Structures are given as structure tokens and as C-alpha cells.
């Protein structure tokens, strides 16, 4: 029997609810269902629906779109969402993921001014990961820049591969902003790469989150490498559509991102696949 021409990995392609901002979390479920995404990643932020597990369950059931991941409220604008205690936020994110059937909680490294949290972060993430089957996938970030000045806003590191975590999230808009080599970063992550935020960027000081293929990041190459290595996590489209002039324009961008991802998330068969990390 002839071998298949391509191998498509088990990875599902999800839509981040952040990709429809300033539209609502509910809109993201509608768009994901209409365009044929495999699921959603819920960004927990100031939208009350994103914080409400039962409301999210109803949206998932109504649209028949599974929730594959929960992004913990780690942004500056979510400092008071689900408590001001960052460990409580992560506990609530894990509980939400367990109740909703999501396999992954995405978490950012602490801000440097969260000193106690930052000091205990690596050991604390390992401890929480040992208490659940949900993956805590720590996301790479970037230095903050203003003109020629650079501020290291995250601790222990914005480059999370310098610390020891069970699972990582790679974000290609963040590699662009950090002006670092995305493929070298996923090589350092190795079989601990558990989750992907797919977007593009041009190396601006701003975190751009462009539609894949519109910047300088190796989005296609990364997807093809995932196919070769038997990646078993999720690929999440997390792009900025705030400048869309209409709902139709926003959906066209998100349809383009999905088509790009499905096209490149395949590779020549016959190469060995890796053994997933438990």
C-alpha cells in the first residue's frame, strides 16, 4: 500500500476569543462555528461572559464548538479579574479548564513588580501541573521598548526557555516583538512545546498579532515542522482584527488565517514523529 503524500498531525486549530476584540466572547463562538474552526481558546478578561464558566458552557453547547484552552487573566487590564492574587487566578483557570473539558491553561510569566509571585513562579507552576491533567503552558513574552530604551517587564524571564517548565506556549507575534528566532526557540522548547499562538509580526516594538503570512515570522515553516514532529497540542489563531472596518472584513481575516494554518499544518510523510511528553 502506498504511503500518504502528506501527514496531518492531530493538532486542532482553534480561534482565540481575543481575535474578535472589540467584539464579545459570544461573537467568537459564532465566528468559530461559521468558519469551521475546531474549537476556541477563551481569553479570560473584562468581558463578564469570559469569566463565567456556565455561560461559556452554554455557548460551547449551543454552537457545538469545544473549548480547547483557557488563557488565564495575566494582562495589565485583567489585574482584578478573578482576584488580585495571581495564584488564585491560576487555580480558577485550572478549575474552569477542568469543568469545560479544555486541555490547556495558558499563562504568562509574572511582571517583575509581582516579586513574591515571580520568586515562586517556576516551582509553583510545577506544583500546580502535578495536581491536574490540564497542561499549564507558559508563554514566551518580549522586552518592552520605547525609542531606544528597553525594559525587562517579565520575571524570571521573558524568554521562558531559560527556565524549566513542563509545557510551553510559543507565540510568534511575541517572537517578532522580541526580535528573536522563533524556530530556534521551538528547538529549545523541544517536546515541551504544548501549545501555539499563531500570528505574525514585523519586529515592531508593539505586539502586532498580524494575520499569519503578513509579517516576517516563519509561520509556514513552524507549522510544517509541527507536522513532521507529530505535534499533539493545539494551534490557536490569536490575531488583531481591531482595525477591521466591518464584521465581514474581520471574518475574511480569520478565514484567511484558518486557511493558511490548514494549508501548512501538513508535511511530507515518512519522517519519524516524536513521542509526546506526558
Amino acid at each position: 500500500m502506498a504511503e500518504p503524500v502528506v501527514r496531518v498531525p492531530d493538532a486542532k486549530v482553534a480561534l482565540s476569543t481575543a481575535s474578535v476584540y472589540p467584539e464579545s466572547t459570544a461573537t467568537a463562538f459564532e465566528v468559530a462555528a461559521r468558519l469551521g474552526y475546531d474549537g476556541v481558546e477563551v481569553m479570560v478578561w473584562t468581558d463578564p461572559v469570559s469569566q463565567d464558566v456556565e455561560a461559556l458552557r452554554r455557548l460551547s453547547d449551543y454552537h457545538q464548538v469545544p473549548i480547547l484552552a483557557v488563557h488565564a487573566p495575566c494582562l495589565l487590564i485583567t489585574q482584578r479579574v478573578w482576584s488580585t492574587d495571581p495564584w488564585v487566578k491560576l487555580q480558577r483557570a485550572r478549575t474552569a479548564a477542568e469543568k469545560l473539558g479544555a486541555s490547556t491553561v495558558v499563562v504568562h510569566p509574572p511582571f517583575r513588580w509581582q516579586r513574591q509571585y515571580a520568586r515562586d513562579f517556576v516551582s509553583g507552576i510545577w506544583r500546580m501541573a502535578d495536581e491536574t491533567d490540564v497542561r499549564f503552558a507558559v508563554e514566551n513574552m518580549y522586552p518592552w521598548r520605547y525609542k531606544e530604551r528597553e525594559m525587562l517587564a517579565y520575571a524570571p524571564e521573558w524568554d521562558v526557555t531559560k527556565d524549566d517548565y513542563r509545557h510551553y506556549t510559543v507565540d510568534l507575534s511575541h517572537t517578532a516583538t522580541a526580535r528573536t528566532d522563533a524556530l530556534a526557540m521551538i528547538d529549545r522548547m523541544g517536546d515541551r512545546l504544548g501549545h501555539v499562538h499563531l500570528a505574525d509580526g514585523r519586529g515592531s516594538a508593539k505586539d502586532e498579532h498580524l494575520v499569519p503570512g503578513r509579517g516576517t515570522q516563519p509561520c509556514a515553516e513552524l507549522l510544517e515542522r509541527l507536522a513532521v514532529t507529530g505535534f499533539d497540542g493545539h494551534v490557536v489563531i490569536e490575531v488583531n482584527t481591531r482595525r477591521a472596518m466591518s464584521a465581514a472584513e474581520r471574518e475574511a481575516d480569520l478565514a484567511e488565517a484558518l486557511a493558511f494554518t490548514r494549508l501548512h499544518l501538513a508535511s511530507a510523510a515518512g519522517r519519524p514523529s516524536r513521542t509526546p511528553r506526558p
Side-chain angles (χ1 to χ4, degrees):
M1 181 180 295
E3 291 189 3
V5 176
V6 297
R7 177 199 298 128
V8 179
D10 293 334
K12 292 182 170 62
V13 183
L15 179 66
S16 169
T17 59
S19 294
V20 304
Y21 182 83
E23 297 296 331
S24 66
T25 300
T27 299
F29 279 86
E30 295 172 13
V31 171
R34 190 154 49 241
L35 296 181
Y37 278 83
D38 297 321
V40 300
E41 174 178 300
V42 174
M43 171 71 80
V44 180
W45 55 3
T46 53
D47 181 349
V49 171
S50 73
Q51 305 169 29
D52 185 330
V53 171
E54 290 308 313
L56 292 170
R57 192 198 310 279
R58 289 193 295 272
L59 282 170
S60 178
D61 290 345
Y62 179 78
H63 292 287
Q64 293 296 289
V65 174
I67 297 170
L68 302 179
V70 174
H71 194 311
C74 305
L75 306 176
L76 284 173
I77 63 169
T78 60
Q79 292 298 289
R80 295 186 178 278
V81 173
W82 279 0
S83 167
T84 56
D85 183 332
W87 291 115
V88 172
K89 292 173 183 285
L90 295 192
Q91 289 163 359
R92 292 191 63 174
R94 179 191 66 194
T95 298
E98 290 170 342
K99 289 181 176 179
L100 295 167
S103 64
T104 303
V105 167
V106 179
V107 57
H108 292 181
F111 294 112
R112 296 188 75 84
W113 55 84
Q114 296 175 301
R115 294 180 181 176
Q116 184 62 47
Y117 179 46
R119 186 158 45 244
D120 299 334
F121 184 70
V122 178
S123 61
I125 290 293
W126 271 101
R127 183 177 62 253
M128 294 188 74
D130 285 338
E131 296 171 351
T132 180
D133 291 332
V134 173
R135 293 179 173 184
F136 280 88
V138 185
E139 183 173 4
N140 63 298
M141 299 305 291
Y142 48 85
W144 290 2
R145 293 188 179 91
Y146 177 70
K147 295 184 178 179
E148 299 303 316
R149 300 181 63 184
E150 184 175 285
M151 184 177 78
L152 301 179
Y154 299 97
E157 292 283 348
W158 63 262
D159 179 352
V160 293
T161 64
K162 294 182 179 180
D163 291 294
D164 180 31
Y165 301 107
R166 180 171 292 168
H167 292 107
Y168 296 103
T169 296
V170 68
D171 183 305
L172 270 72
S173 179
H174 295 175
T175 58
T177 305
R179 299 168 189 167
T180 193
D181 185 326
L183 297 180
M185 177 169 281
I186 68 167
D187 283 342
R188 294 195 298 275
M189 291 177 174
D191 63 2
R192 299 186 184 202
L193 175 61
H195 201 68
V196 174
H197 280 169
L198 193 67
D200 215 331
R202 303 189 186 98
S204 166
K206 296 181 180 179
D207 186 17
E208 296 173 286
H209 284 275
L210 304 177
V211 170
R214 297 185 185 177
T216 61
Q217 293 304 286
C219 297
E221 294 90 335
L222 180 140
L223 291 169
E224 290 161 7
R225 187 174 297 191
L226 295 182
V228 170
T229 56
F231 178 69
D232 66 339
H234 305 312
V235 178
V236 177
I237 303 300
E238 189 183 74
V239 297
N240 183 346
T241 62
R242 280 176 287 183
R243 294 188 178 181
M245 300 301 292
S246 66
E249 184 177 332
R250 174 176 292 109
E251 287 199 25
D253 282 348
L254 297 177
E256 178 183 331
L258 178 60
F260 179 100
T261 304
R262 294 213 192 281
L263 174 64
H264 293 288
L265 196 60
S267 180
R271 302 188 198 179
S273 62
R274 70 182 184 183
T275 302
R277 186 180 180 87

